[in-house]
Amino acid sequence: MAIETSASVSDENSSHLQKASVQDAGPAPLDASKLKITLTQSPKALVPPEQLRFGHTFSDHMIFAAYDPVTGWSAPEIKPYAPLTLDPSSSCFQYCTNVFEGLKAYVGPDGTPRLFRPELNMRRLERSVARFALPPFDGDEVLKLIKRFVQIDARWIPAVPGHGLYLRPTVIGTRTAINLTASESAILFVIASPTGPYFPQGLRPISLLAVSDCVRAWPGGTGSDKVGGNYAPIILPQQLAAKQGYDQMLWLFGEDNRVTEAGIMNFFVVVTREDGDGLDVITAPLDGTILPGVTRASCLSLASSPAFQKEQSLRLHTHERVFTMADLVQWSAQGRLVEALSVGTAAIIASVSKIGWKGKDITLPAYEAGLGPVGMALREKVVAIQEGREEWEGWGVACD
Amino acid sequence: MAIETSASVSDENSSHLQKASVQDAGPAPLDASKLKITLTQSPKALVPPEQLRFGHTFSDHMIFAAYDPVTGWSAPEIKPYAPLTLDPSSSCFQYCTNVFEGLKAYVGPDGTPRLFRPELNMRRLERSVARFALPPFDGDEVLKLIKRFVQIDARWIPAVPGHGLYLRPTVIGTRTAINLTASESAILFVIASPTGPYFPQGLRPISLLAVSDCVRAWPGGTGSDKVGGNYAPIILPQQLAAKQGYDQMLWLFGEDNRVTEAGIMNFFVVVTREDGDGLDVITAPLDGTILPGVTRASCLSLASSPAFQKEQSLRLHTHERVFTMADLVQWSAQGRLVEALSVGTAAIIASVSKIGWKGKDITLPAYEAGLGPVGMALREKVVAIQEGREEWEGWGVACD
């Protein structure tokens, strides 16, 4: 049975009136307090956690709101997962005015669904939307909608460590004319996919192929924004890497072959310091060619935290700096390359076994647990925070 | 009244049977001979040519075919223009696995609709599809469908010089899972928009703003393919140019500020030679940062043709070579900069009045007709070929 209800309550009426008068001056802003909820009449059967493949299953509902240049954002809805119907001239098909985010809801021993630093995703979404001149909104309103959505579809969060409900906020331009200009109409939607480990092999390390003739991003482009058009171009290079027996690409930039990202994840190396004072944890700087990942920022923050280092008995020095393939070759030859890590929301933290480069492999140390000392410490800490087993600087945000 | 008919005729049955046996070995190829035509029950009212804005009006019908990884390409359809219904997880929204083409149908004094060098668009479409690992097809089959489509919607071609029916073949990925990999399903569609001059001011020259901090394309990227994701990133820079009073961007590349493209068009300069032997016609080389435009190729071909030069009383030397903002500044200072031209399917050939660079303007000579000697000769020749008033190397392809 469909249940239609409004999330508005009577004591919010006065603020609605205030907003109505603001609307007279322009298009309505996105307003989570206007949420309309329509529950599905036919809930789907859950997929057993061990059968989940990343991104193949979707939950019962979705968030939906549409922007019209005159009236502004529609009252947001949570409604049954459903197709979109769009004119073939729509900007999203023609000019790819499409941006997205990825974040996960986790459930831990206390049964409360939690998001991991979702405000970082909302800020990045706002930036991506601005980069493509799409209709703006306050990401905090989206976050309110997501929290409610996660509550409604909480049964879809697999209660298995390392599993979560992957949330995909998406904004697409829906202007129906093919002269190139900003899409003054748009749709915001959020879908949710229950997921186990991104790589089916779990913590088995991945292999990377470094190439210099395909370039993911460049200064003055969109490499630091989470826009859909950054992804289609990397499918073919990824296929070529797979044909050579590697799991993912290692993206390079510039004549000096700077290391930038790995596949669709940020990339770290852990290097023994020459002065004997522990380990350097190094990742590329945010120079416009790097996506400012939430997991990247969290790894940098944890690794530079004295409390984390003390707890894990690690001595770490973090660096956001340019490093090149020549550096990797040298560190490997010197026996100083302790770990290489791919980090991102989907796979969290994955270890790298080898990096193909100019017909040879840079081989990383193998660890029985699948991750080395730094990767394992970071991963376990991040997962503990995600699942609410540990509190850390407010990173775990309960959906309540 | 809806008319459903099949373009197949009985004497094609034997080749159909042959193809059926080929299909047993794999997914069906795109096959124009399987075309199904459904005419609209409610033809739209034509828009008077003088009221047409580029890309805002669409004709009565569209071409549609879908690819399924098991069965292959569906029998293509020409059917009433209609929205697409797609799952929100579709690759086209999420990862922008979308490519397109632009070509025009023209009608001249003989009343026959003609396409301009459409085989070049079909080859480029095939390359774009391969670049994004989308399901392949034979572009010649698409061209057969387009010819039939143009016949059916011929009343939408404005019979006014400089007007045409802009055709937009589009291929979008329709895979419904959000792990990043090739979209093994897709939709091919073609829509048509009757159009007058791209720039509402007609032949009035356009102004360009050259900037070095926004970069359209990069070697190893997708700048030489006609993929949707190349376009969304240039909307915001274009808005910033407009705020400074310029019509379009002039895109640069590299530390030496090489001139690459203008807005969404290829770019030429015409320079008086120092040896007195006529004019140099210069455009950037196809180094991966330049779209290999059909109008670009046609201008190069015409300008290097002795027959064209003789007919137009012009002495021209064509060059595909790197040139920089410093070159433009120098040629301008020397009084040698005769013309700058933006060329592309939508606007054909447009003249440039000035180029903003580092707070100053490079001013181009003004011509009463709106185009200088080379731009006008090229434009008039191209339009004459497009409208079938002149025959040139088979460039005008009749839709019959």
Side-chain angles (χ1 to χ4, degrees), chain A residues 55-56 81 84-87 94-95 131 168 170 177-179 215 218 220 228 232-233 253, chain B residues 55-56 81 84-87 94-95 131 168 170 177-179 215 218 220 228 232-233:
Chain A
H56 281 68
Y81 186 97
L84 306 172
T85 298
L86 293 164
D87 193 273
Q94 300 296 332
Y95 302 126
R131 180 62 184 82
R168 175 55 66 90
T170 310
I178 55 173
N179 59 324
V215 177
W218 53 86
F253 179 75
Chain B
H56 281 67
Y81 186 96
L84 305 173
T85 298
L86 292 163
D87 193 273
Q94 299 297 332
Y95 302 126
R131 179 64 184 83
R168 174 56 65 91
T170 310
I178 56 172
N179 60 323
V215 179
W218 200 271

mmCIF file of all heavy atoms in Angstrom, chain A residues 55-56 81 84-87 94-95 131 168 170 177-179 215 218 220 228 232-233 253, chain B residues 55-56 81 84-87 94-95 131 168 170 177-179 215 218 220 228 232-233:
data_model
loop_
_atom_site.group_PDB
_atom_site.id
_atom_site.type_symbol
_atom_site.label_atom_id
_atom_site.label_comp_id
_atom_site.label_asym_id
_atom_site.label_seq_id
_atom_site.Cartn_x
_atom_site.Cartn_y
_atom_site.Cartn_z
ATOM 1 N N GLY A 55 27.470 -1.879 -7.075
ATOM 2 C CA GLY A 55 26.704 -1.014 -7.971
ATOM 3 C C GLY A 55 25.684 -1.699 -8.847
ATOM 4 O O GLY A 55 25.158 -1.079 -9.774
ATOM 5 N N HIS A 56 25.378 -2.966 -8.596
ATOM 6 C CA HIS A 56 24.435 -3.698 -9.443
ATOM 7 C C HIS A 56 23.019 -3.752 -8.873
ATOM 8 O O HIS A 56 22.077 -4.052 -9.599
ATOM 9 C CB HIS A 56 24.932 -5.125 -9.682
ATOM 10 C CG HIS A 56 25.993 -5.213 -10.728
ATOM 11 N ND1 HIS A 56 27.260 -4.686 -10.546
ATOM 12 C CD2 HIS A 56 25.993 -5.752 -11.979
ATOM 13 C CE1 HIS A 56 27.981 -4.904 -11.637
ATOM 14 N NE2 HIS A 56 27.241 -5.543 -12.507
ATOM 15 N N TYR A 81 12.011 3.883 -6.406
ATOM 16 C CA TYR A 81 13.044 3.912 -7.451
ATOM 17 C C TYR A 81 12.356 3.762 -8.804
ATOM 18 O O TYR A 81 11.568 2.833 -9.000
ATOM 19 C CB TYR A 81 14.007 2.746 -7.215
ATOM 20 C CG TYR A 81 15.213 2.726 -8.120
ATOM 21 C CD1 TYR A 81 16.430 3.259 -7.689
ATOM 22 C CD2 TYR A 81 15.162 2.147 -9.387
ATOM 23 C CE1 TYR A 81 17.555 3.220 -8.511
ATOM 24 C CE2 TYR A 81 16.280 2.110 -10.212
ATOM 25 C CZ TYR A 81 17.473 2.651 -9.767
ATOM 26 O OH TYR A 81 18.587 2.618 -10.566
ATOM 27 N N LEU A 84 13.815 7.726 -15.276
ATOM 28 C CA LEU A 84 13.640 9.138 -15.612
ATOM 29 C C LEU A 84 13.192 9.228 -17.065
ATOM 30 O O LEU A 84 13.662 8.471 -17.904
ATOM 31 C CB LEU A 84 14.975 9.878 -15.453
ATOM 32 C CG LEU A 84 15.675 9.749 -14.104
ATOM 33 C CD1 LEU A 84 17.064 10.380 -14.173
ATOM 34 C CD2 LEU A 84 14.840 10.395 -13.008
ATOM 35 N N THR A 85 12.320 10.150 -17.352
ATOM 36 C CA THR A 85 11.859 10.350 -18.725
ATOM 37 C C THR A 85 12.297 11.738 -19.175
ATOM 38 O O THR A 85 11.931 12.739 -18.556
ATOM 39 C CB THR A 85 10.326 10.194 -18.807
ATOM 40 O OG1 THR A 85 10.005 8.850 -18.421
ATOM 41 C CG2 THR A 85 9.819 10.446 -20.209
ATOM 42 N N LEU A 86 13.110 11.767 -20.220
ATOM 43 C CA LEU A 86 13.774 13.014 -20.622
ATOM 44 C C LEU A 86 13.765 13.189 -22.131
ATOM 45 O O LEU A 86 13.929 12.226 -22.885
ATOM 46 C CB LEU A 86 15.233 12.986 -20.137
ATOM 47 C CG LEU A 86 15.420 13.034 -18.623
ATOM 48 C CD1 LEU A 86 16.830 12.602 -18.255
ATOM 49 C CD2 LEU A 86 15.152 14.431 -18.105
ATOM 50 N N ASP A 87 13.665 14.421 -22.553
ATOM 51 C CA ASP A 87 13.716 14.759 -23.970
ATOM 52 C C ASP A 87 15.096 14.375 -24.538
ATOM 53 O O ASP A 87 16.118 14.569 -23.879
ATOM 54 C CB ASP A 87 13.498 16.268 -24.120
ATOM 55 C CG ASP A 87 13.214 16.656 -25.549
ATOM 56 O OD1 ASP A 87 14.186 16.900 -26.305
ATOM 57 O OD2 ASP A 87 12.035 16.713 -25.928
ATOM 58 N N GLN A 94 23.514 15.398 -24.353
ATOM 59 C CA GLN A 94 24.274 16.052 -25.421
ATOM 60 C C GLN A 94 25.607 16.597 -24.929
ATOM 61 O O GLN A 94 26.647 16.363 -25.535
ATOM 62 C CB GLN A 94 23.432 17.193 -26.020
ATOM 63 C CG GLN A 94 22.113 16.717 -26.623
ATOM 64 C CD GLN A 94 22.314 15.785 -27.809
ATOM 65 O OE1 GLN A 94 23.330 15.879 -28.491
ATOM 66 N NE2 GLN A 94 21.381 14.888 -28.047
ATOM 67 N N TYR A 95 25.583 17.357 -23.834
ATOM 68 C CA TYR A 95 26.791 18.066 -23.413
ATOM 69 C C TYR A 95 27.313 17.590 -22.060
ATOM 70 O O TYR A 95 28.264 18.151 -21.534
ATOM 71 C CB TYR A 95 26.537 19.577 -23.439
ATOM 72 C CG TYR A 95 26.120 20.034 -24.816
ATOM 73 C CD1 TYR A 95 24.951 20.751 -25.032
ATOM 74 C CD2 TYR A 95 26.890 19.691 -25.928
ATOM 75 C CE1 TYR A 95 24.558 21.125 -26.305
ATOM 76 C CE2 TYR A 95 26.504 20.060 -27.202
ATOM 77 C CZ TYR A 95 25.341 20.776 -27.390
ATOM 78 O OH TYR A 95 24.957 21.131 -28.655
ATOM 79 N N ARG A 131 30.791 24.462 -11.084
ATOM 80 C CA ARG A 131 31.738 24.350 -12.203
ATOM 81 C C ARG A 131 31.016 24.179 -13.532
ATOM 82 O O ARG A 131 31.503 24.605 -14.582
ATOM 83 C CB ARG A 131 32.700 23.176 -11.951
ATOM 84 C CG ARG A 131 33.732 22.939 -13.037
ATOM 85 C CD ARG A 131 34.650 24.115 -13.220
ATOM 86 N NE ARG A 131 35.582 23.936 -14.331
ATOM 87 C CZ ARG A 131 35.270 24.162 -15.608
ATOM 88 N NH1 ARG A 131 34.060 24.595 -15.937
ATOM 89 N NH2 ARG A 131 36.175 23.985 -16.556
ATOM 90 N N ARG A 168 24.508 7.553 -4.207
ATOM 91 C CA ARG A 168 24.971 8.228 -5.411
ATOM 92 C C ARG A 168 24.105 9.456 -5.698
ATOM 93 O O ARG A 168 23.154 9.388 -6.479
ATOM 94 C CB ARG A 168 24.922 7.233 -6.569
ATOM 95 C CG ARG A 168 25.259 7.792 -7.959
ATOM 96 C CD ARG A 168 26.597 8.483 -8.042
ATOM 97 N NE ARG A 168 27.742 7.631 -7.846
ATOM 98 C CZ ARG A 168 28.399 6.964 -8.801
ATOM 99 N NH1 ARG A 168 27.993 7.040 -10.044
ATOM 100 N NH2 ARG A 168 29.464 6.250 -8.506
ATOM 101 N N THR A 170 23.260 12.620 -7.690
ATOM 102 C CA THR A 170 23.548 12.938 -9.098
ATOM 103 C C THR A 170 22.758 14.189 -9.474
ATOM 104 O O THR A 170 21.593 14.320 -9.086
ATOM 105 C CB THR A 170 23.119 11.769 -10.013
ATOM 106 O OG1 THR A 170 23.652 10.542 -9.500
ATOM 107 C CG2 THR A 170 23.603 11.956 -11.438
ATOM 108 N N ALA A 177 17.454 22.187 -25.436
ATOM 109 C CA ALA A 177 17.841 22.893 -26.661
ATOM 110 C C ALA A 177 19.312 22.587 -26.861
ATOM 111 O O ALA A 177 20.045 22.353 -25.891
ATOM 112 C CB ALA A 177 17.602 24.392 -26.536
ATOM 113 N N ILE A 178 19.781 22.552 -28.119
ATOM 114 C CA ILE A 178 21.137 22.077 -28.369
ATOM 115 C C ILE A 178 22.112 23.173 -28.791
ATOM 116 O O ILE A 178 23.187 22.877 -29.297
ATOM 117 C CB ILE A 178 21.160 20.902 -29.374
ATOM 118 C CG1 ILE A 178 20.447 21.275 -30.670
ATOM 119 C CG2 ILE A 178 20.534 19.654 -28.748
ATOM 120 C CD1 ILE A 178 20.587 20.217 -31.759
ATOM 121 N N ASN A 179 21.745 24.437 -28.572
ATOM 122 C CA ASN A 179 22.820 25.440 -28.597
ATOM 123 C C ASN A 179 23.519 25.324 -27.242
ATOM 124 O O ASN A 179 22.878 25.099 -26.215
ATOM 125 C CB ASN A 179 22.278 26.854 -28.847
ATOM 126 C CG ASN A 179 21.283 27.295 -27.789
ATOM 127 O OD1 ASN A 179 20.507 26.488 -27.303
ATOM 128 N ND2 ASN A 179 21.307 28.569 -27.452
ATOM 129 N N VAL A 215 45.983 10.643 -20.507
ATOM 130 C CA VAL A 215 46.028 11.609 -19.414
ATOM 131 C C VAL A 215 44.626 11.794 -18.866
ATOM 132 O O VAL A 215 43.696 12.107 -19.606
ATOM 133 C CB VAL A 215 46.617 12.948 -19.903
ATOM 134 C CG1 VAL A 215 46.604 13.976 -18.788
ATOM 135 C CG2 VAL A 215 48.032 12.732 -20.427
ATOM 136 N N TRP A 218 44.117 17.592 -16.316
ATOM 137 C CA TRP A 218 45.168 18.566 -16.551
ATOM 138 C C TRP A 218 44.778 19.886 -15.890
ATOM 139 O O TRP A 218 43.593 20.137 -15.657
ATOM 140 C CB TRP A 218 45.398 18.766 -18.050
ATOM 141 C CG TRP A 218 44.151 19.097 -18.799
ATOM 142 C CD1 TRP A 218 43.602 20.320 -18.992
ATOM 143 C CD2 TRP A 218 43.260 18.162 -19.444
ATOM 144 N NE1 TRP A 218 42.434 20.217 -19.709
ATOM 145 C CE2 TRP A 218 42.200 18.913 -19.995
ATOM 146 C CE3 TRP A 218 43.276 16.773 -19.599
ATOM 147 C CZ2 TRP A 218 41.170 18.306 -20.694
ATOM 148 C CZ3 TRP A 218 42.224 16.184 -20.291
ATOM 149 C CH2 TRP A 218 41.197 16.950 -20.836
ATOM 150 N N GLY A 220 43.556 23.476 -15.362
ATOM 151 C CA GLY A 220 42.610 24.238 -16.177
ATOM 152 C C GLY A 220 41.472 23.393 -16.704
ATOM 153 O O GLY A 220 40.593 23.901 -17.390
ATOM 154 N N GLY A 228 30.767 13.808 -14.313
ATOM 155 C CA GLY A 228 30.630 12.542 -15.023
ATOM 156 C C GLY A 228 31.607 12.396 -16.176
ATOM 157 O O GLY A 228 32.138 11.314 -16.417
ATOM 158 N N ALA A 232 34.040 8.574 -18.409
ATOM 159 C CA ALA A 232 33.961 7.834 -19.674
ATOM 160 C C ALA A 232 35.321 7.721 -20.373
ATOM 161 O O ALA A 232 35.644 6.655 -20.892
ATOM 162 C CB ALA A 232 32.927 8.477 -20.607
ATOM 163 N N PRO A 233 36.146 8.789 -20.368
ATOM 164 C CA PRO A 233 37.423 8.679 -21.104
ATOM 165 C C PRO A 233 38.382 7.640 -20.535
ATOM 166 O O PRO A 233 39.325 7.253 -21.220
ATOM 167 C CB PRO A 233 38.029 10.093 -20.972
ATOM 168 C CG PRO A 233 36.871 10.984 -20.702
ATOM 169 C CD PRO A 233 35.911 10.161 -19.889
ATOM 170 N N PHE A 253 51.101 12.478 -15.066
ATOM 171 C CA PHE A 253 50.912 13.778 -15.703
ATOM 172 C C PHE A 253 52.254 14.450 -15.945
ATOM 173 O O PHE A 253 53.120 14.447 -15.056
ATOM 174 C CB PHE A 253 50.042 14.702 -14.853
ATOM 175 C CG PHE A 253 49.856 16.041 -15.495
ATOM 176 C CD1 PHE A 253 48.994 16.176 -16.565
ATOM 177 C CD2 PHE A 253 50.598 17.136 -15.078
ATOM 178 C CE1 PHE A 253 48.849 17.387 -17.205
ATOM 179 C CE2 PHE A 253 50.453 18.364 -15.721
ATOM 180 C CZ PHE A 253 49.583 18.482 -16.781
ATOM 181 N N GLY B 55 18.822 25.320 -32.514
ATOM 182 C CA GLY B 55 18.696 24.195 -31.602
ATOM 183 C C GLY B 55 17.504 24.207 -30.681
ATOM 184 O O GLY B 55 17.449 23.404 -29.744
ATOM 185 N N HIS B 56 16.549 25.105 -30.917
ATOM 186 C CA HIS B 56 15.393 25.192 -30.017
ATOM 187 C C HIS B 56 14.159 24.459 -30.539
ATOM 188 O O HIS B 56 13.236 24.198 -29.778
ATOM 189 C CB HIS B 56 15.024 26.661 -29.768
ATOM 190 C CG HIS B 56 15.905 27.332 -28.770
ATOM 191 N ND1 HIS B 56 17.239 27.580 -29.005
ATOM 192 C CD2 HIS B 56 15.664 27.784 -27.506
ATOM 193 C CE1 HIS B 56 17.770 28.174 -27.943
ATOM 194 N NE2 HIS B 56 16.838 28.307 -27.024
ATOM 195 N N TYR B 81 9.072 11.992 -32.712
ATOM 196 C CA TYR B 81 9.983 12.546 -31.698
ATOM 197 C C TYR B 81 9.368 12.306 -30.327
ATOM 198 O O TYR B 81 8.211 12.649 -30.083
ATOM 199 C CB TYR B 81 10.154 14.038 -31.954
ATOM 200 C CG TYR B 81 11.181 14.743 -31.084
ATOM 201 C CD1 TYR B 81 12.468 14.938 -31.545
ATOM 202 C CD2 TYR B 81 10.849 15.221 -29.821
ATOM 203 C CE1 TYR B 81 13.412 15.595 -30.771
ATOM 204 C CE2 TYR B 81 11.783 15.873 -29.036
ATOM 205 C CZ TYR B 81 13.065 16.066 -29.523
ATOM 206 O OH TYR B 81 14.001 16.713 -28.748
ATOM 207 N N LEU B 84 12.997 9.868 -23.947
ATOM 208 C CA LEU B 84 13.647 8.604 -23.615
ATOM 209 C C LEU B 84 13.364 8.301 -22.148
ATOM 210 O O LEU B 84 13.369 9.209 -21.320
ATOM 211 C CB LEU B 84 15.164 8.724 -23.818
ATOM 212 C CG LEU B 84 15.627 9.195 -25.197
ATOM 213 C CD1 LEU B 84 17.137 9.430 -25.181
ATOM 214 C CD2 LEU B 84 15.253 8.176 -26.260
ATOM 215 N N THR B 85 13.140 7.053 -21.834
ATOM 216 C CA THR B 85 12.929 6.642 -20.453
ATOM 217 C C THR B 85 14.079 5.730 -20.037
ATOM 218 O O THR B 85 14.313 4.698 -20.662
ATOM 219 C CB THR B 85 11.563 5.935 -20.319
ATOM 220 O OG1 THR B 85 10.539 6.872 -20.665
ATOM 221 C CG2 THR B 85 11.332 5.452 -18.890
ATOM 222 N N LEU B 86 14.813 6.166 -19.016
ATOM 223 C CA LEU B 86 16.068 5.499 -18.659
ATOM 224 C C LEU B 86 16.207 5.360 -17.151
ATOM 225 O O LEU B 86 15.846 6.273 -16.394
ATOM 226 C CB LEU B 86 17.246 6.330 -19.190
ATOM 227 C CG LEU B 86 17.389 6.378 -20.710
ATOM 228 C CD1 LEU B 86 18.302 7.526 -21.111
ATOM 229 C CD2 LEU B 86 17.940 5.061 -21.220
ATOM 230 N N ASP B 87 16.806 4.269 -16.739
ATOM 231 C CA ASP B 87 17.088 4.039 -15.326
ATOM 232 C C ASP B 87 18.061 5.123 -14.803
ATOM 233 O O ASP B 87 19.002 5.500 -15.506
ATOM 234 C CB ASP B 87 17.721 2.644 -15.181
ATOM 235 C CG ASP B 87 17.765 2.190 -13.742
ATOM 236 O OD1 ASP B 87 18.748 2.529 -13.041
ATOM 237 O OD2 ASP B 87 16.831 1.512 -13.306
ATOM 238 N N GLN B 94 25.647 8.892 -15.308
ATOM 239 C CA GLN B 94 26.674 8.775 -14.277
ATOM 240 C C GLN B 94 28.068 9.055 -14.824
ATOM 241 O O GLN B 94 28.829 9.829 -14.238
ATOM 242 C CB GLN B 94 26.628 7.363 -13.666
ATOM 243 C CG GLN B 94 25.276 7.040 -13.006
ATOM 244 C CD GLN B 94 24.979 7.953 -11.823
ATOM 245 O OE1 GLN B 94 25.895 8.441 -11.179
ATOM 246 N NE2 GLN B 94 23.714 8.189 -11.542
ATOM 247 N N TYR B 95 28.426 8.395 -15.925
ATOM 248 C CA TYR B 95 29.808 8.462 -16.396
ATOM 249 C C TYR B 95 29.929 9.117 -17.770
ATOM 250 O O TYR B 95 31.001 9.153 -18.345
ATOM 251 C CB TYR B 95 30.423 7.054 -16.383
ATOM 252 C CG TYR B 95 30.364 6.461 -14.983
ATOM 253 C CD1 TYR B 95 29.790 5.229 -14.733
ATOM 254 C CD2 TYR B 95 30.855 7.183 -13.903
ATOM 255 C CE1 TYR B 95 29.720 4.717 -13.445
ATOM 256 C CE2 TYR B 95 30.785 6.688 -12.606
ATOM 257 C CZ TYR B 95 30.214 5.450 -12.383
ATOM 258 O OH TYR B 95 30.138 4.958 -11.106
ATOM 259 N N ARG B 131 36.216 5.179 -28.915
ATOM 260 C CA ARG B 131 36.984 5.809 -27.837
ATOM 261 C C ARG B 131 36.331 5.567 -26.481
ATOM 262 O O ARG B 131 36.999 5.485 -25.455
ATOM 263 C CB ARG B 131 37.139 7.302 -28.119
ATOM 264 C CG ARG B 131 37.890 8.084 -27.059
ATOM 265 C CD ARG B 131 39.340 7.621 -26.936
ATOM 266 N NE ARG B 131 40.039 8.301 -25.852
ATOM 267 C CZ ARG B 131 39.961 7.927 -24.575
ATOM 268 N NH1 ARG B 131 39.245 6.868 -24.225
ATOM 269 N NH2 ARG B 131 40.632 8.598 -23.647
ATOM 270 N N ARG B 168 21.413 15.774 -35.394
ATOM 271 C CA ARG B 168 22.225 15.485 -34.220
ATOM 272 C C ARG B 168 22.198 13.975 -33.900
ATOM 273 O O ARG B 168 21.391 13.524 -33.088
ATOM 274 C CB ARG B 168 21.685 16.305 -33.043
ATOM 275 C CG ARG B 168 22.317 16.041 -31.682
ATOM 276 C CD ARG B 168 23.818 16.207 -31.641
ATOM 277 N NE ARG B 168 24.307 17.526 -31.883
ATOM 278 C CZ ARG B 168 24.543 18.454 -30.939
ATOM 279 N NH1 ARG B 168 24.328 18.180 -29.681
ATOM 280 N NH2 ARG B 168 25.019 19.634 -31.271
ATOM 281 N N THR B 170 23.299 10.913 -31.909
ATOM 282 C CA THR B 170 23.769 10.816 -30.528
ATOM 283 C C THR B 170 23.801 9.344 -30.131
ATOM 284 O O THR B 170 22.886 8.591 -30.477
ATOM 285 C CB THR B 170 22.802 11.570 -29.584
ATOM 286 O OG1 THR B 170 22.557 12.880 -30.103
ATOM 287 C CG2 THR B 170 23.363 11.682 -28.171
ATOM 288 N N ALA B 177 24.338 -0.099 -14.081
ATOM 289 C CA ALA B 177 25.097 -0.463 -12.875
ATOM 290 C C ALA B 177 26.162 0.609 -12.725
ATOM 291 O O ALA B 177 26.607 1.190 -13.718
ATOM 292 C CB ALA B 177 25.721 -1.840 -13.001
ATOM 293 N N ILE B 178 26.583 0.894 -11.490
ATOM 294 C CA ILE B 178 27.465 2.046 -11.284
ATOM 295 C C ILE B 178 28.895 1.666 -10.907
ATOM 296 O O ILE B 178 29.641 2.513 -10.438
ATOM 297 C CB ILE B 178 26.862 3.049 -10.269
ATOM 298 C CG1 ILE B 178 26.539 2.367 -8.942
ATOM 299 C CG2 ILE B 178 25.641 3.734 -10.861
ATOM 300 C CD1 ILE B 178 26.116 3.353 -7.850
ATOM 301 N N ASN B 179 29.287 0.414 -11.107
ATOM 302 C CA ASN B 179 30.737 0.171 -11.146
ATOM 303 C C ASN B 179 31.204 0.628 -12.529
ATOM 304 O O ASN B 179 30.506 0.438 -13.527
ATOM 305 C CB ASN B 179 31.056 -1.303 -10.886
ATOM 306 C CG ASN B 179 30.434 -2.244 -11.903
ATOM 307 O OD1 ASN B 179 29.319 -1.992 -12.346
ATOM 308 N ND2 ASN B 179 31.132 -3.284 -12.272
ATOM 309 N N VAL B 215 41.612 25.277 -19.907
ATOM 310 C CA VAL B 215 42.169 24.501 -21.014
ATOM 311 C C VAL B 215 41.113 23.513 -21.507
ATOM 312 O O VAL B 215 40.592 22.716 -20.728
ATOM 313 C CB VAL B 215 43.441 23.761 -20.560
ATOM 314 C CG1 VAL B 215 44.004 22.937 -21.713
ATOM 315 C CG2 VAL B 215 44.478 24.758 -20.066
ATOM 316 N N TRP B 218 43.650 18.257 -23.996
ATOM 317 C CA TRP B 218 45.029 17.942 -23.636
ATOM 318 C C TRP B 218 45.454 16.709 -24.439
ATOM 319 O O TRP B 218 44.639 15.816 -24.650
ATOM 320 C CB TRP B 218 45.089 17.623 -22.132
ATOM 321 C CG TRP B 218 46.442 17.736 -21.543
ATOM 322 C CD1 TRP B 218 47.386 16.747 -21.473
ATOM 323 C CD2 TRP B 218 47.024 18.887 -20.939
ATOM 324 N NE1 TRP B 218 48.510 17.223 -20.858
ATOM 325 C CE2 TRP B 218 48.326 18.522 -20.524
ATOM 326 C CE3 TRP B 218 46.571 20.197 -20.720
ATOM 327 C CZ2 TRP B 218 49.185 19.432 -19.895
ATOM 328 C CZ3 TRP B 218 47.421 21.089 -20.096
ATOM 329 C CH2 TRP B 218 48.709 20.714 -19.691
ATOM 330 N N GLY B 220 46.440 13.117 -25.123
ATOM 331 C CA GLY B 220 46.129 11.958 -24.287
ATOM 332 C C GLY B 220 44.733 12.018 -23.697
ATOM 333 O O GLY B 220 44.320 11.095 -22.995
ATOM 334 N N GLY B 228 30.461 14.106 -25.574
ATOM 335 C CA GLY B 228 29.676 15.083 -24.839
ATOM 336 C C GLY B 228 30.447 15.759 -23.726
ATOM 337 O O GLY B 228 30.301 16.964 -23.485
ATOM 338 N N ALA B 232 30.460 20.311 -21.546
ATOM 339 C CA ALA B 232 30.030 20.905 -20.272
ATOM 340 C C ALA B 232 31.125 21.762 -19.626
ATOM 341 O O ALA B 232 30.829 22.833 -19.084
ATOM 342 C CB ALA B 232 29.566 19.811 -19.301
ATOM 343 N N PRO B 233 32.414 21.332 -19.673
ATOM 344 C CA PRO B 233 33.437 22.136 -18.986
ATOM 345 C C PRO B 233 33.645 23.523 -19.572
ATOM 346 O O PRO B 233 34.233 24.373 -18.911
ATOM 347 C CB PRO B 233 34.713 21.285 -19.155
ATOM 348 C CG PRO B 233 34.230 19.889 -19.361
ATOM 349 C CD PRO B 233 32.962 20.043 -20.154
#
